[in-house]
Amino acid sequence: WGNRANGLHMNGDASLGGDGIISNALVENNVIYDNGLGGGSGINCDGVQNSVIRNNLIYNAHASGISLYRIDGGGGSSGNLVVNNTVLV
């Protein structure tokens, strides 16, 4: 809570070595709040694949709730299950 940017940030950064992909992550049952005054998401996923994001509560988010994308990741975020989250932006 209270981060200027992201609450939870998973960054599959290809420039750091490896394949630049985060696979099979589980983000579950978190309470994430009061993040993003400088931009960012409650749950931020760059290059996250075949993962599950479920049963999280995100509130008082100042920018975004849950974001799946590709900037630095070795591939786009794909094959993810995002279910039963409560997001208040």
Side-chain angles (χ1 to χ4, degrees):
W1 65 271
N3 296 291
R4 177 157 173 75
N6 306 301
L8 297 177
H9 180 65
M10 292 177 282
N11 186 12
D13 191 337
S15 71
L16 296 178
D19 63 5
I21 301 294
I22 296 172
S23 300
N24 303 310
L26 174 61
V27 180
E28 181 177 48
N29 295 326
N30 295 284
V31 177
I32 301 164
Y33 61 96
D34 200 25
N35 297 292
L37 281 172
S41 305
I43 300 174
N44 201 58
C45 303
D46 182 1
V48 175
Q49 298 182 355
N50 304 314
S51 296
V52 176
I53 301 169
R54 69 176 167 221
N55 299 325
N56 297 286
L57 170 60
I58 301 170
Y59 68 93
N60 219 21
H62 301 285
S64 300
I66 301 171
S67 299
L68 299 118
Y69 61 96
R70 178 185 183 195
I71 293 178
D72 299 322
S77 291
S78 63
N80 297 297
L81 175 65
V82 181
V83 63
N84 295 331
N85 297 285
T86 300
V87 180
L88 302 169
V89 178

